[in-house]
Amino acid sequence: MVMKKIVPECCPNAQGIGSQYGRGLVQAAVVLAVGVLSGIAPVQAAGVTCLMKPSLEVSVAAPVEGIIQHIHVDRGDWVSKGQVIVTLESSVEKATVDLAKAKAEAEAALKSTQAKIAFSTRKLERATDLFKSNSIARHELDEAHTEKVVAEMAHQEAMDNKRIAELEWQRATASLNLHTIYSPLSGVVVERLLSPGELARQAPIVKLAQIDPLRVEVFAPLSLLGKLKPGMKAEVRPEGGPSAAYQANITVVSRLVDSASGTFGVRLEMPNPGNAIPAGLPCAVTFPVGQ
Protein backbone atom coordinates (compact mmCIF):
# COMPACT_ATOMS: atom_id res chain seq x y z
CA MET A 1 0.00 0.00 0.00
CA VAL A 2 1.31 3.44 -0.97
CA MET A 3 0.99 6.32 1.57
CA LYS A 4 0.15 9.75 0.19
CA LYS A 5 0.68 13.17 1.77
CA ILE A 6 -2.72 14.69 2.29
CA VAL A 7 -3.07 18.50 2.10
CA PRO A 8 -6.36 19.88 3.33
CA GLU A 9 -8.45 21.40 0.59
CA CYS A 10 -9.09 24.50 2.67
CA CYS A 11 -5.38 25.33 2.81
CA PRO A 12 -3.74 24.20 -0.45
CA ASN A 13 -0.62 26.39 0.20
CA ALA A 14 -0.12 25.37 3.82
CA GLN A 15 2.99 23.41 3.02
CA GLY A 16 4.67 26.40 1.28
CA ILE A 17 3.72 28.77 4.03
CA GLY A 18 5.10 26.47 6.67
CA SER A 19 8.39 26.17 4.84
CA GLN A 20 8.72 29.96 4.42
CA TYR A 21 7.87 30.52 8.09
CA GLY A 22 10.47 28.00 9.18
CA ARG A 23 13.16 29.58 7.02
CA GLY A 24 12.27 33.01 8.43
CA LEU A 25 12.69 31.82 12.00
CA VAL A 26 16.06 30.31 11.17
CA GLN A 27 17.25 33.50 9.49
CA ALA A 28 16.09 35.65 12.45
CA ALA A 29 17.84 33.37 14.91
CA VAL A 30 21.06 33.54 12.91
CA VAL A 31 20.95 37.38 12.75
CA LEU A 32 20.27 37.63 16.49
CA ALA A 33 23.09 35.24 17.32
CA VAL A 34 25.56 37.12 15.13
CA GLY A 35 24.58 40.41 16.71
CA VAL A 36 24.98 39.09 20.23
CA LEU A 37 28.30 37.38 19.55
CA SER A 38 29.83 40.31 17.69
CA GLY A 39 28.67 42.88 20.27
CA ILE A 40 27.73 45.36 17.51
CA ALA A 41 24.87 47.70 18.33
CA PRO A 42 23.60 50.49 16.11
CA VAL A 43 24.43 54.08 17.14
CA GLN A 44 21.36 56.09 18.00
CA ALA A 45 20.29 59.53 19.20
CA ALA A 46 21.75 61.43 16.27
CA GLY A 47 20.21 64.86 15.84
CA VAL A 48 18.53 65.30 19.22
CA THR A 49 17.44 68.92 19.40
CA CYS A 50 19.10 71.23 21.91
CA LEU A 51 19.56 74.90 22.78
CA MET A 52 22.81 76.74 23.46
CA LYS A 53 22.63 79.17 26.38
CA PRO A 54 25.13 81.36 28.24
CA SER A 55 26.99 79.45 30.93
CA LEU A 56 26.35 82.30 33.36
CA GLU A 57 23.94 85.26 33.45
CA VAL A 58 24.26 87.98 36.09
CA SER A 59 22.15 91.02 36.93
CA VAL A 60 24.61 93.51 38.43
CA ALA A 61 23.27 95.88 41.10
CA ALA A 62 24.92 98.43 43.39
CA PRO A 63 25.93 97.15 46.85
CA VAL A 64 25.02 100.56 48.34
CA GLU A 65 22.41 103.16 47.54
CA GLY A 66 23.64 106.13 45.54
CA ILE A 67 23.36 108.29 42.44
CA ILE A 68 24.80 106.72 39.31
CA GLN A 69 27.63 108.94 38.10
CA HIS A 70 28.75 106.99 35.06
CA ILE A 71 28.03 103.69 33.28
CA HIS A 72 31.11 102.67 31.33
CA VAL A 73 29.47 100.00 29.15
CA ASP A 74 26.46 99.64 26.89
CA ARG A 75 24.45 96.85 25.34
CA GLY A 76 26.58 94.56 23.18
CA ASP A 77 29.90 95.61 24.70
CA TRP A 78 32.45 92.98 25.71
CA VAL A 79 33.70 93.15 29.28
CA SER A 80 36.48 91.44 31.18
CA LYS A 81 36.32 90.16 34.74
CA GLY A 82 37.35 92.95 37.12
CA GLN A 83 36.64 95.75 34.63
CA VAL A 84 34.96 98.89 36.00
CA ILE A 85 31.43 99.05 34.61
CA VAL A 86 29.59 101.50 36.91
CA THR A 87 30.63 104.30 39.28
CA LEU A 88 28.40 106.00 41.83
CA GLU A 89 28.71 109.57 43.12
CA SER A 90 31.14 109.42 46.07
CA SER A 91 32.33 112.92 47.02
CA VAL A 92 31.36 112.49 50.68
CA GLU A 93 33.06 109.11 50.89
CA LYS A 94 36.26 110.51 49.36
CA ALA A 95 36.30 113.33 51.93
CA THR A 96 35.81 110.78 54.71
CA VAL A 97 38.76 108.77 53.43
CA ASP A 98 40.98 111.86 53.36
CA LEU A 99 40.02 112.74 56.93
CA ALA A 100 40.61 109.21 58.21
CA LYS A 101 43.94 109.07 56.41
CA ALA A 102 45.09 112.32 58.05
CA LYS A 103 44.19 110.98 61.49
CA ALA A 104 45.94 107.68 60.86
CA GLU A 105 49.12 109.38 59.70
CA ALA A 106 49.25 111.90 62.58
CA GLU A 107 52.41 111.40 64.64
CA ALA A 108 52.32 114.37 67.05
CA ALA A 109 50.57 112.62 69.94
CA LEU A 110 52.82 109.59 69.65
CA LYS A 111 56.01 111.63 69.57
CA SER A 112 54.82 113.74 72.52
CA THR A 113 54.25 110.70 74.71
CA GLN A 114 57.64 109.28 73.70
CA ALA A 115 59.30 112.51 74.86
CA LYS A 116 57.42 112.36 78.17
CA ILE A 117 58.57 108.79 78.74
CA ALA A 118 62.19 109.75 78.10
CA PHE A 119 61.96 112.74 80.49
CA SER A 120 60.24 110.76 83.26
CA THR A 121 62.81 108.00 82.92
CA ARG A 122 65.70 110.42 83.46
CA LYS A 123 63.86 112.07 86.34
CA LEU A 124 63.31 108.71 88.03
CA GLU A 125 67.01 107.85 87.67
CA ARG A 126 68.08 111.14 89.32
CA ALA A 127 65.50 110.71 92.09
CA THR A 128 66.78 107.19 92.75
CA ASP A 129 70.37 108.41 93.12
CA LEU A 130 69.32 111.26 95.41
CA PHE A 131 67.21 108.93 97.53
CA LYS A 132 70.18 106.60 97.97
CA SER A 133 72.22 109.53 99.32
CA ASN A 134 69.31 110.60 101.55
CA SER A 135 68.99 113.89 99.65
CA ILE A 136 65.22 113.56 98.99
CA ALA A 137 62.31 111.97 100.78
CA ARG A 138 60.68 108.71 99.69
CA HIS A 139 57.47 110.45 98.51
CA GLU A 140 59.53 112.40 95.95
CA LEU A 141 60.90 109.13 94.61
CA ASP A 142 57.36 107.78 94.43
CA GLU A 143 56.25 110.89 92.49
CA ALA A 144 59.02 110.37 89.95
CA HIS A 145 58.10 106.72 89.55
CA THR A 146 54.40 107.57 89.13
CA GLU A 147 55.18 110.18 86.47
CA LYS A 148 57.00 107.56 84.46
CA VAL A 149 54.09 105.09 84.73
CA VAL A 150 51.60 107.78 83.66
CA ALA A 151 53.82 108.71 80.69
CA GLU A 152 53.98 105.07 79.60
CA MET A 153 50.19 104.74 79.84
CA ALA A 154 49.74 107.91 77.78
CA HIS A 155 52.07 106.50 75.15
CA GLN A 156 50.09 103.27 75.03
CA GLU A 157 46.87 105.26 74.63
CA ALA A 158 48.40 107.23 71.76
CA MET A 159 49.39 103.99 70.05
CA ASP A 160 45.87 102.59 70.50
CA ASN A 161 44.35 105.75 69.06
CA LYS A 162 46.64 105.54 66.05
CA ARG A 163 45.65 101.92 65.46
CA ILE A 164 41.96 102.86 65.70
CA ALA A 165 42.53 105.69 63.22
CA GLU A 166 44.14 103.26 60.80
CA LEU A 167 41.14 100.93 61.06
CA GLU A 168 38.77 103.84 60.46
CA TRP A 169 40.81 104.69 57.38
CA GLN A 170 40.42 101.13 56.13
CA ARG A 171 36.67 101.20 56.76
CA ALA A 172 36.28 104.52 54.95
CA THR A 173 38.29 103.19 52.02
CA ALA A 174 36.13 100.05 51.86
CA SER A 175 32.99 102.21 51.88
CA LEU A 176 34.40 104.28 49.03
CA ASN A 177 35.25 101.17 47.03
CA LEU A 178 31.61 100.05 47.18
CA HIS A 179 30.78 103.00 44.93
CA THR A 180 32.79 101.43 42.10
CA ILE A 181 31.20 98.34 40.55
CA TYR A 182 33.35 95.79 38.73
CA SER A 183 32.34 93.09 36.27
CA PRO A 184 32.09 89.68 37.99
CA LEU A 185 32.73 87.81 34.72
CA SER A 186 34.14 88.00 31.22
CA GLY A 187 31.33 88.20 28.70
CA VAL A 188 28.91 90.49 26.93
CA VAL A 189 26.52 93.20 28.16
CA VAL A 190 23.01 91.92 27.50
CA GLU A 191 21.09 94.98 28.65
CA ARG A 192 21.55 98.34 30.39
CA LEU A 193 18.63 99.02 32.70
CA LEU A 194 19.53 102.38 34.33
CA SER A 195 21.23 105.60 33.23
CA PRO A 196 23.55 108.17 34.85
CA GLY A 197 21.70 110.44 37.25
CA GLU A 198 19.28 107.76 38.42
CA LEU A 199 19.22 106.47 41.98
CA ALA A 200 20.69 103.00 42.31
CA ARG A 201 18.91 100.93 44.91
CA GLN A 202 18.55 97.13 44.83
CA ALA A 203 17.43 97.05 41.19
CA PRO A 204 19.88 95.74 38.56
CA ILE A 205 21.87 98.31 36.59
CA VAL A 206 23.22 96.06 33.81
CA LYS A 207 22.82 92.43 32.82
CA LEU A 208 25.86 90.40 31.76
CA ALA A 209 26.21 86.98 30.14
CA GLN A 210 29.22 84.68 29.90
CA ILE A 211 29.20 82.72 26.63
CA ASP A 212 32.53 80.94 26.94
CA PRO A 213 31.85 78.18 27.67
CA LEU A 214 28.29 77.72 26.40
CA ARG A 215 25.69 75.69 28.27
CA VAL A 216 23.84 73.24 26.02
CA GLU A 217 20.43 72.13 27.26
CA VAL A 218 18.98 68.90 25.84
CA PHE A 219 15.69 67.05 26.36
CA ALA A 220 16.81 63.52 25.60
CA PRO A 221 14.40 60.68 24.72
CA LEU A 222 13.73 57.89 27.20
CA SER A 223 15.66 55.47 24.97
CA LEU A 224 18.83 57.11 26.28
CA LEU A 225 17.86 56.87 29.95
CA GLY A 226 20.66 55.19 31.89
CA LYS A 227 23.11 55.43 28.98
CA LEU A 228 24.27 59.02 29.46
CA LYS A 229 26.72 59.81 32.24
CA PRO A 230 28.50 63.02 33.35
CA GLY A 231 31.88 63.26 31.66
CA MET A 232 30.78 61.65 28.40
CA LYS A 233 31.48 63.55 25.18
CA ALA A 234 28.94 64.51 22.52
CA GLU A 235 28.91 66.29 19.18
CA VAL A 236 26.98 69.55 18.86
CA ARG A 237 26.03 71.22 15.57
CA PRO A 238 24.60 74.75 15.80
CA GLU A 239 21.72 75.69 13.50
CA GLY A 240 21.97 78.97 11.67
CA GLY A 241 25.59 79.39 12.72
CA PRO A 242 28.88 77.73 11.75
CA SER A 243 28.30 74.38 10.05
CA ALA A 244 31.14 72.65 11.89
CA ALA A 245 30.56 70.21 14.73
CA TYR A 246 31.85 70.99 18.22
CA GLN A 247 32.78 68.72 21.09
CA ALA A 248 30.92 69.10 24.38
CA ASN A 249 31.04 67.32 27.73
CA ILE A 250 28.01 66.14 29.67
CA THR A 251 27.93 67.85 33.06
CA VAL A 252 24.42 67.07 34.38
CA VAL A 253 21.99 64.22 33.77
CA SER A 254 18.62 64.84 35.37
CA ARG A 255 17.08 62.11 37.50
CA LEU A 256 13.57 63.39 36.79
CA VAL A 257 11.59 62.27 33.74
CA ASP A 258 8.87 64.33 32.08
CA SER A 259 6.15 61.75 31.56
CA ALA A 260 4.14 64.04 29.27
CA SER A 261 6.90 64.44 26.68
CA GLY A 262 8.80 61.24 27.45
CA THR A 263 12.11 63.06 27.90
CA PHE A 264 14.65 63.88 30.58
CA GLY A 265 17.04 66.82 30.90
CA VAL A 266 20.74 66.69 30.01
CA ARG A 267 23.19 69.59 30.28
CA LEU A 268 26.48 69.87 28.40
CA GLU A 269 29.34 72.34 28.52
CA MET A 270 30.85 73.42 25.21
CA PRO A 271 33.99 75.58 24.90
CA ASN A 272 33.50 78.72 22.83
CA PRO A 273 36.96 80.23 22.22
CA GLY A 274 36.83 83.83 21.13
CA ASN A 275 33.06 83.89 21.72
CA ALA A 276 32.67 82.82 18.09
CA ILE A 277 29.27 81.15 18.54
CA PRO A 278 26.40 83.35 19.77
CA ALA A 279 24.23 82.08 22.59
CA GLY A 280 20.58 81.31 22.02
CA LEU A 281 21.00 79.27 18.82
CA PRO A 282 19.11 75.98 18.47
CA CYS A 283 21.31 72.99 17.79
CA ALA A 284 21.41 69.25 17.29
CA VAL A 285 23.46 66.93 19.47
CA THR A 286 24.70 63.42 18.78
CA PHE A 287 25.42 61.06 21.66
CA PRO A 288 27.77 58.18 20.67
CA VAL A 289 25.90 55.45 22.54
CA GLY A 290 24.40 52.15 21.45
CA GLN A 291 21.16 50.36 22.24
Side-chain angles (χ1 to χ4, degrees):
M1 183 176 62
V2 178
M3 300 297 293
K4 295 183 178 180
K5 184 183 294 185
I6 300 175
V7 178
E9 296 180 358
C10 63
C11 304
N13 298 323
Q15 183 177 4
I17 294 174
S19 299
Q20 295 176 0
Y21 180 71
R23 287 195 298 271
L25 288 177
V26 172
Q27 292 174 355
V30 170
V31 171
L32 180 60
V34 171
V36 171
L37 293 175
S38 61
I40 298 175
V43 176
Q44 63 172 353
V48 179
T49 59
C50 57
L51 181 63
M52 297 186 297
K53 296 183 177 182
S55 57
L56 187 62
E57 294 181 89
V58 177
S59 296
V60 181
V64 293
E65 186 175 299
I67 301 297
I68 298 175
Q69 186 176 41
H70 191 69
I71 299 179
H72 302 271
V73 295
D74 205 346
R75 182 177 180 179
D77 290 345
W78 295 100
V79 296
S80 301
K81 185 175 182 179
Q83 177 182 335
V84 176
I85 55 177
V86 180
T87 53
L88 306 180
E89 200 284 326
S90 57
S91 56
V92 174
E93 286 73 20
K94 290 179 181 178
T96 304
V97 169
D98 293 339
L99 177 60
K101 180 180 179 182
K103 291 181 178 179
E105 294 179 346
E107 298 286 345
L110 201 60
K111 291 180 178 180
S112 175
T113 55
Q114 289 174 344
K116 290 180 179 179
I117 290 177
F119 174 75
S120 62
T121 300
R122 294 193 301 270
K123 184 177 180 180
L124 179 60
E125 291 175 352
R126 290 193 298 267
T128 302
D129 293 338
L130 292 173
F131 178 76
K132 290 180 180 179
S133 61
N134 295 323
S135 299
I136 60 173
R138 177 174 291 276
H139 71 87
E140 292 178 317
L141 177 63
D142 291 340
E143 288 178 0
H145 184 269
T146 302
E147 287 181 8
K148 182 182 178 183
V149 172
V150 171
E152 290 173 345
M153 294 178 62
H155 179 67
Q156 183 62 46
E157 183 180 3
M159 292 179 61
D160 293 342
N161 290 337
K162 183 175 177 60
R163 176 58 179 163
I164 292 173
E166 291 173 350
L167 293 175
E168 290 178 348
W169 181 17
Q170 294 179 10
R171 181 178 64 179
T173 302
S175 178
L176 175 62
N177 291 339
L178 291 178
H179 288 68
T180 303
I181 303 174
Y182 303 88
S183 174
L185 54 82
S186 294
V188 63
V189 179
V190 178
E191 191 174 2
R192 195 179 84 172
L193 303 172
L194 297 178
S195 300
E198 293 188 88
L199 179 63
R201 296 180 182 270
Q202 296 181 349
I205 302 174
V206 295
K207 289 185 178 180
L208 308 176
Q210 179 177 311
I211 61 175
D212 181 21
L214 287 168
R215 191 179 77 227
V216 181
E217 297 289 351
V218 184
F219 290 99
L222 289 179
S223 59
L224 296 178
L225 188 63
K227 300 177 181 179
L228 302 181
K229 305 292 182 182
M232 292 178 60
K233 295 185 180 297
E235 189 177 84
V236 178
R237 293 182 179 272
E239 296 181 9
S243 58
Y246 298 88
Q247 292 293 319
N249 295 322
I250 298 177
T251 57
V252 177
V253 178
S254 176
R255 296 183 178 273
L256 299 179
V257 175
D258 184 0
S259 58
S261 62
T263 60
F264 64 99
V266 179
R267 177 177 298 171
L268 302 94
E269 185 177 279
M270 187 179 78
N272 187 21
N275 304 306
I277 307 173
L281 288 177
C283 57
V285 61
T286 301
F287 297 104
V289 296
Q291 292 180 341

